């Protein structure tokens, strides 16, 4: 289970960009998380697009509406269940998310004003379907590679 929240200024992303990002952002996290491209795992991912007026966002101590130039500010928050999230896996996710954003925005590289946060929800702290979920119960679903499933078990001491 993963939630990706893209926070932008109002009107920054058009409908076609959001359509593309719904898939590319999902896959940007899915592949490192389960160890392979696994379309059946997509059902466990949500992407939320949140728009804010430029007078509701600030950078460098100034509201965007007051900035001397039109700044392109984004915060993409990736929230995941506990698992195999070693620093190199987190770095891969962050790089893939930023690359997906740049591609959708027609840029060669992400801007320095686009920030990604990565949060891991502790085992036993994610709820759905009327109860608490565990990533351990998902390891035998067929979407995780054997190597990734073992890495998750090792990371959780299971």
């Amino acid at each position: 289970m993963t939630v990706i929240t893209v926070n932008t200024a109002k009107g920054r992303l058009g409908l076609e960009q959001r359509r593309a990002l719904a898939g590319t952002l999902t896959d940007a996290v899915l592949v490192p998380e389960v160890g392979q491209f696994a379309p059946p795992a997509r059902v466990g991912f949500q992407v939320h697009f949140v728009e804010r007026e430029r007078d509701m966002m600030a950078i460098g101590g100034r509201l965007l509406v007051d900035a001397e130039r039109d700044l392109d500010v984004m915060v993409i928050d990736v929230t995941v269940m506990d698992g195999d999230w070693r620093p190199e896996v987190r770095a891969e996710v962050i790089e893939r998310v930023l690359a997906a954003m740049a591609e959708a925005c027609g840029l060669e590289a992400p801007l320095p004003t686009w920030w990604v946060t990565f949060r891991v929800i502790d085992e036993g702290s994610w709820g759905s379907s009327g109860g608490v979920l565990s990533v351990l119960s998902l390891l035998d679903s067929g979407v995780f590679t054997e190597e990734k499933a073992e890495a998750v078990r090792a990371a959780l001491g299971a």
Side-chain angles (χ1 to χ4, degrees):
M1 307 301 238
T2 297
V3 179
I4 303 162
T5 306
V6 180
N7 298 279
T8 64
K10 189 170 185 177
R12 174 59 180 94
L13 299 173
L15 178 60
E16 291 307 314
Q17 288 170 308
R18 293 190 307 272
R19 279 190 175 122
L21 286 166
T24 59
L25 290 175
T26 293
D27 295 342
V29 182
L30 182 151
V31 172
E33 184 171 10
V34 304
Q36 64 184 343
F37 178 65
R42 284 179 160 180
V43 71
F45 288 71
Q46 293 185 21
V47 180
H48 297 216
F49 297 96
V50 179
E51 294 184 321
R52 292 184 167 78
E53 297 291 340
R54 296 181 67 75
D55 64 352
M56 299 297 286
M57 298 173 74
I59 190 168
R62 297 188 65 158
L63 290 174
L64 294 184
V65 73
D66 297 331
E68 288 135 18
R69 56 190 175 101
D70 195 21
L71 294 173
D72 188 2
V73 174
M74 292 186 199
V75 175
I76 302 103
D77 181 61
V78 178
T79 305
V80 297
M81 295 177 84
D82 208 351
D84 176 34
W85 296 115
R86 293 166 286 135
E88 60 270 21
V89 178
R90 292 176 192 224
E92 180 184 356
V93 168
I94 291 168
E95 290 165 3
R96 290 170 60 97
V97 164
L98 287 168
M101 293 302 303
E103 181 179 339
C105 292
L107 299 175
E108 288 185 28
L111 298 177
T113 51
W114 298 358
W115 299 348
V116 177
T117 56
F118 190 99
R119 295 186 291 148
V120 178
I121 304 302
D122 291 338
E123 178 67 13
S125 299
W126 196 292
S128 178
S129 303
V132 175
L133 296 181
S134 170
V135 70
L136 296 172
S137 66
L138 303 173
L139 296 181
D140 296 325
S141 65
V143 299
F144 286 82
T145 63
E146 285 291 324
E147 297 81 18
K148 186 54 81 164
E150 285 306 313
V152 170
R153 286 185 187 96
L156 298 179

